[in-house]
Amino acid sequence: MTVPFLDLRAPYLELREEIDDAVGRVLRSGWYLLGPEVEAFEAEFAAYCGAAHCVTVGSGGDALTLILRALGIGTGDEVIVPAHTFIATWLAVSDVGATPVPVEPDPATFTMDPARIEAAITPRTQAILPVHLYGHPADLDTVRAIADRHGLAVVEDAAQAPGAVHNGRRIGAAPSTVAFSFYPGKNLGALGDSGAVVTSDRQLADKVRLLRNYGSRVKYRHEVLGTNSRTDELQAAVLRVKLARLDEWNARRARVADRYLAGLKGLDLDLPEVASWAEHAWHLFVVRAADRDALAARLGEAGVGTLVHYPVAVHASPAYQPLGLGPFPLSERLAGEVLSLPIGPHLTDDQVGAVISAVRDAV
């Protein structure tokens, strides 16, 4: 049996009638940008997260950048970021002219290790940017306590964690300010690039709305140097359909994860851990193997698709090598050991069983 790492057709096939109706509604309306579908999705997603405001933008990366711009963070400032994450987290900091300051991950959850944050704070630090990596929430209570002691902003990257829960509250709930991505492969995926800023800070939400639309509230009246970063009506309409299924689909992901955790127990493989205060969104199911590349090759021969998130530590990438950061030994080790297995709400029981059998044979 072949098990692809990701099948983007499956969500559409399950919701084809609803998605086709939503797309047709937009096409018949003749309104394609910043219209009623965007307004409705923004209200619905803010309510889902438990926040006052949602501002849709062009991508998850744009969401991070626009939050930082709205906070006034720029040249000469520093932002504390995870050493182990997707490069987009760092790029948002660089985009506004600030400097990313990396902190190693917690070896259990792979999210930013709060115990290492204070050592990274300097007089130039303006914000801490934790990532809810792979769908596991960062330790927000500890991060916020550190930020409060030092007068810093907290900006969350939840590109992989819509629907995840921290201490009984969904990621995005007040007082958070969070960037979400709706890239097609995410738990809540559009049909192209899209993202959102979710916050209960009205002033910040208003600034992001201004920045996303050329710095303009009224056409041809430009108050600030803005940009073009807008989710279109088609994407918003599709996201509204999928948002209604997000909790159900996340629950299906969790059932797959539970089967993996039970079926792979006892192997020479490090399995994901979930903190007692967290509900994992299971965007990815990431294991660690000493001989990762060989394991991936054997699984590929068995018809099981895998990916590596992420094969190069950000500080070691050509884009950031000139900063001379590091060493970050845990992040570097993770880059050589992590392997993502197929997980998603549309895997069949037989496919999950096939993955477990293939891994047990390959380890």
Side-chain angles (χ1 to χ4, degrees):
M1 176 181 292
T2 298
V3 185
F5 180 77
L6 178 65
D7 180 3
L8 289 178
R9 298 168 301 171
Y12 170 69
L13 293 175
E14 180 175 339
L15 301 176
R16 174 161 44 188
E17 184 174 344
E18 294 172 71
I19 290 175
D20 287 353
D21 285 347
V23 170
R25 184 172 67 242
V26 173
L27 296 178
R28 289 189 298 272
S29 77
W31 193 339
Y32 301 131
L33 287 170
L34 298 183
E37 297 290 345
V38 165
E39 291 177 1
F41 174 71
E42 288 178 344
E44 290 161 7
F45 192 58
Y48 173 84
C49 292
H53 307 283
C54 169
V55 184
T56 53
V57 295
S59 69
D62 282 359
L64 284 173
T65 300
L66 292 176
I67 292 171
L68 295 174
R69 286 190 63 186
L71 290 172
I73 294 172
T75 304
D77 296 330
E78 294 177 350
V79 176
I80 294 175
V81 298
H84 180 63
T85 186
F86 181 52
I87 196 171
T89 310
W90 289 41
L91 289 175
V93 177
S94 300
D95 283 347
V96 300
T99 300
V101 177
V103 167
E104 287 268 58
D106 179 314
T109 66
F110 302 149
T111 61
M112 182 187 290
D113 187 349
R116 298 174 181 263
I117 291 176
E118 288 195 280
I121 295 173
T122 77
R124 296 170 59 191
T125 306
Q126 297 297 317
I128 305 172
L129 207 171
V131 177
H132 305 301
L133 194 68
Y134 304 152
H136 191 294
D139 184 356
L140 290 177
D141 286 348
T142 308
V143 171
R144 286 174 181 152
I146 295 169
D148 288 346
R149 284 199 298 272
H150 294 272
L152 305 176
V154 176
V155 178
E156 301 168 39
D157 181 341
Q160 301 179 359
V165 175
H166 171 272
N167 267 337
R169 297 165 64 83
R170 281 203 182 109
I171 296 301
S176 292
T177 293
V178 187
F180 286 93
S181 169
F182 305 128
Y183 180 78
K186 304 299 187 186
N187 293 39
L188 179 59
L191 302 183
D193 278 321
S194 177
V197 173
V198 171
T199 182
S200 291
D201 183 332
R202 177 180 293 278
Q203 185 177 18
L204 187 140
D206 287 346
K207 287 181 179 178
V208 173
R209 286 193 185 94
L210 184 64
L211 289 168
R212 75 173 175 182
N213 191 37
Y214 299 107
S216 173
R217 303 176 206 271
V218 178
K219 196 168 186 178
Y220 303 132
R221 299 293 184 268
H222 305 280
E223 302 173 32
V224 297
L225 297 176
T227 189
N228 176 10
S229 181
R230 302 175 296 201
T231 291
D232 63 65
E233 289 283 286
L234 286 168
Q235 304 303 340
V238 171
L239 287 168
R240 293 182 68 195
V241 172
K242 291 187 174 183
L243 177 59
R245 302 297 183 90
L246 179 56
D247 284 345
E248 176 192 341
W249 285 4
N250 279 354
R252 280 151 61 174
R253 288 174 178 271
R255 287 195 289 273
V256 174
D258 286 344
R259 284 195 61 193
Y260 282 164
L261 291 170
L264 302 178
K265 187 177 180 180
L267 300 179
D268 188 16
L269 204 63
D270 288 346
L271 301 177
E273 298 182 30
V274 182
S276 60
W277 41 260
E279 290 183 29
H280 205 308
W282 294 111
H283 174 60
L284 296 171
F285 189 94
V286 180
V287 300
R288 290 177 65 184
D291 198 354
R292 187 268 314 285
D293 293 340
L295 173 59
R298 288 193 288 270
L299 291 176
E301 292 168 359
V304 174
T306 61
L307 284 178
V308 176
H309 297 87
Y310 300 95
V312 180
V314 183
H315 72 278
S317 68
Y320 281 102
Q321 276 182 338
L323 294 185
L325 299 170
F328 294 100
L330 179 53
S331 296
E332 293 161 16
R333 189 160 67 249
L334 290 175
E337 295 180 352
V338 293
L339 184 67
S340 299
L341 303 180
I343 189 168
H346 298 94
L347 286 178
T348 67
D349 287 343
D350 287 345
Q351 286 177 316
V352 176
V355 173
I356 292 171
S357 294
V359 174
R360 295 193 68 86
D361 290 343
V363 172

